[in-house]
Amino acid sequence: DQRITSVGYAMVAGSANAVLYPTPRERYLSLPTHAFTPYQGATNIILSPTMQTNGNWAGAPVQIPNGAVITKVEFIVFNGGGGSVTGLLEAHTSTTNSVTVSTLVNVATSGVTPTTQTLIGTPNVTVDYLTKRYVVYVRTISPAVCHGVLVTYTIVDPAP
């Protein structure tokens, strides 16, 4: 039982920026196409009902609990034949004068046969919002489209 009862002021020791569980729990973050925004001012992007970026990039923030481990990123795409889709998961570290980008997942598909695919990356990276922010990017070249992205992560209570 982890209830806190207080009349007036209460102070809790430990980390207040993480949601933790005593055993690993698998959770999911679904990023539908309307969660994405054009990157660097791209204007010819269609975000609904499917994402067509026409060679430009669109991005969406990954918002999951601090301390979670991202285990899988799935890009659900359809290639109408002759197009391509590239999906990225990046960690951005900001300092006073610059932003450092680390690519954690880079998956792509292209081809001439119409097909629905799931592009899967397995970064196994621990989320650290104190120093980084995480963004999923998608780029499509017609006639390929992206239907959405699914981020799988686990969260666990670390040992005392």
Side-chain angles (χ1 to χ4, degrees), residues 6-26:
S6 173
V7 177
Y9 180 74
M11 187 169 165
V12 178
S15 175
N17 66 350
V19 177
L20 304 173
Y21 300 97
T23 57
R25 308 232 180 161
E26 188 170 80

Side-chain angles (χ1 to χ4, degrees), residues 51-131:
M51 188 183 336
Q52 295 174 290
T53 68
N54 299 307
N56 295 295
W57 291 96
V62 175
Q63 299 173 328
I64 60 176
N66 193 52
V69 176
I70 300 173
T71 58
K72 185 168 37 172
V73 182
E74 300 174 67
F75 298 84
I76 298 88
V77 302
F78 174 76
N79 188 346
S84 66
V85 178
T86 303
L88 302 175
L89 169 64
E90 293 184 344
H92 296 207
T93 305
S94 298
T95 62
T96 304
N97 298 317
S98 66
V99 175
T100 302
V101 177
S102 302
T103 301
L104 308 173
V105 169
N106 184 347
V107 292
T109 184
S110 62
V112 296
T113 304
T115 183
T116 298
Q117 293 178 281
T118 301
L119 307 177
I120 298 176
T122 54
N124 291 317
V125 63
T126 300
V127 172
D128 176 10
Y129 286 122
L130 299 178
T131 60

